[in-house]
Amino acid sequence: MKYEELIKNIVKALDEKKAEDIKIIETAELTIVADSFIVASGTSSTHVKALADEVEYAISQLGTEPEHIEGRATGWILVDYGTVVVHIFDRQSREYYNIERLWQDANIKTAEDILG
């Protein structure tokens, strides 16, 4: 799957499940870890898990499986697609880790930028 298509479909899946504050952090120029991080929040641990499950399901329906999933029992679930890493937090964990601040030199987009 093309990078842009992957980003759009992940953001769409998160948006449809009512993820909060979806951000796309473009990191290609800053690190070799991934080209982008997608960060979103859920309202509870159940919502965080449902968001991660929805991303995994939606993208698998398009023929792409994650390379790695981490943190299923915590307030932070990471779904790694290689070029795109999805971070889904509960509100408290998102505030604590503050990924946007760590990558403040990156170009950061919102869901509206991607979905129109």
Side-chain angles (χ1 to χ4, degrees):
M1 176 180 311
K2 286 194 267 181
Y3 168 77
E4 293 83 10
E5 183 182 359
L6 180 60
I7 294 276
K8 185 172 185 174
N9 282 289
I10 291 170
V11 170
K12 182 178 177 191
L14 290 167
D15 187 60
E16 287 177 354
K17 279 288 186 189
K18 307 291 187 227
E20 297 180 339
D21 197 21
I22 303 168
K23 299 282 175 65
I24 302 85
I25 305 171
E26 297 177 339
T27 57
E29 302 296 320
L30 303 171
T31 182
I32 61 169
V33 173
D35 290 343
S36 289
F37 295 145
I38 297 177
V39 183
S41 298
T43 57
S44 66
S45 59
T46 304
H47 190 208
V48 169
K49 184 179 181 328
L51 291 168
D53 290 347
E54 182 63 22
V55 167
E56 185 180 0
Y57 175 77
I59 303 307
S60 71
Q61 294 299 301
L62 300 171
T64 300
E65 299 297 327
E67 293 180 12
H68 183 72
I69 300 174
E70 203 170 298
R72 288 226 185 250
T74 68
W76 177 6
I77 299 177
L78 180 146
V79 185
D80 183 354
Y81 287 98
T83 58
V84 178
V85 177
V86 185
H87 299 271
I88 305 168
F89 293 96
D90 62 27
R91 292 172 179 154
Q92 182 178 1
S93 297
R94 180 149 180 196
E95 185 177 314
Y96 179 79
Y97 290 106
N98 200 353
I99 287 184
E100 292 97 326
R101 182 185 53 78
L102 293 173
W103 295 99
Q104 64 188 355
D105 293 339
N107 184 31
I108 299 178
K109 295 181 177 179
T110 65
E112 292 77 27
D113 295 330
I114 301 299
L115 300 177

